[in-house]
Amino acid sequence: MIISPTAAENYYKCAFGYLIRNLFKIYPLEKASLTQREAGDYLHTVAQKVMEQYGEDYYKAPWEEIEDRTKTVVDEYLSASYPQQVRKTARFASLSSDMQQNALQLLRYIHTEQNASLFRSVAFEKSIGFDSDIKPVTVTLDDGSRVSIIGVCDRIDRMEKDGRSFIRIVDYKTGSKNFSLDDVYNGI
């Protein structure tokens, strides 16, 4: 069995819902609007494009330069993702302004955090899988079956200190995920 951490969490929450969504590919009908998944994809794409330009020196870049670059990347993303007739509406203008502010807020947070830290971003949207540079973790269960955990790391940061390398895996969350120490303790 091959499973992502998100899919494992969804299975833990409701095995039947996991079966319907992940195996039968049956999804509820949704209104035509920006979903949390689309908002997440948007933020991932914008953050990746802006930060990759600077690499490990992202924290050194002047904020005004990052702000200008972010606005350009957001405009490019929205132009490529939505038809012109949609982009001309007042509702879309408001939505795109909010989206731009969200991207700027995320990138400002990362910029500030990296200026106060020794961690530097070294990779973005890095796949974990059998055909990737990073191989999945495989766990053998009590019954002898094996589960391999695959997925994508949103960002990988590295810190060099005292001749040692430290790695930090960052997973952006745009939905509502509450932190639970019980979940951490139980490995969820």
Side-chain angles (χ1 to χ4, degrees):
M1 173 190 284
I2 300 170
I3 193 165
S4 72
T6 301
E9 182 179 20
N10 289 339
Y11 177 81
Y12 173 77
K13 285 180 185 173
C14 178
F16 181 72
Y18 173 86
L19 174 75
I20 296 296
R21 281 186 306 278
N22 293 71
L23 299 179
F24 295 139
K25 306 293 184 199
I26 299 171
Y27 306 100
L29 293 176
E30 297 178 5
K31 285 187 204 176
S33 64
L34 188 66
T35 65
Q36 283 185 342
R37 180 175 182 87
E38 291 167 332
D41 290 346
Y42 155 78
L43 282 174
H44 285 214
T45 300
V46 172
Q48 179 182 357
K49 286 186 176 195
V50 171
M51 292 180 70
E52 275 183 339
Q53 178 179 342
Y54 299 99
E56 292 188 44
D57 293 332
Y58 176 73
Y59 75 102
K60 291 180 185 176
W63 173 248
E64 296 74 22
E65 184 179 314
I66 293 170
E67 191 172 23
D68 290 343
R69 176 71 181 134
T70 302
K71 290 175 182 178
T72 300
V73 170
V74 168
D75 288 343
E76 290 169 356
Y77 180 91
L78 295 175
S79 293
S81 301
Y82 297 95
Q84 186 174 7
Q85 61 269 30
V86 172
R87 293 193 319 267
K88 288 182 178 180
T89 66
R91 184 177 187 282
F92 188 84
S94 174
L95 177 64
S96 63
S97 175
D98 290 347
M99 290 173 72
Q100 185 176 85
Q101 289 307 310
N102 288 340
L104 288 167
Q105 185 177 15
L106 171 65
L107 288 162
R108 178 67 161 198
Y109 176 84
I110 295 168
H111 190 259
T112 302
E113 187 274 331
Q114 286 194 357
N115 271 292
S117 161
L118 296 176
F119 278 100
R120 303 294 172 248
S121 298
V122 296
F124 304 90
E125 301 298 320
K126 194 74 171 159
S127 293
I128 300 170
F130 295 104
D131 297 330
S132 303
D133 295 343
I134 304 173
K135 301 302 177 206
V137 172
T138 301
V139 178
T140 303
L141 304 178
D142 291 341
D143 66 1
S145 59
R146 297 165 55 100
V147 176
S148 296
I149 301 172
I150 62 167
V152 177
C153 297
D154 295 336
R155 194 176 88 225
I156 300 174
D157 295 347
R158 180 180 59 220
M159 175 179 67
E160 302 289 337
K161 187 172 181 180
D162 300 328
R164 297 176 63 198
S165 289
F166 298 87
I167 301 295
R168 173 173 65 183
I169 307 299
V170 178
D171 184 26
Y172 303 129
K173 290 294 179 196
T174 53
S176 58
K177 174 70 177 146
N178 295 322
F179 175 79
S180 165
L181 197 51
D182 288 338
D183 286 351
V184 173
Y185 178 76
N186 290 309
I188 299 170

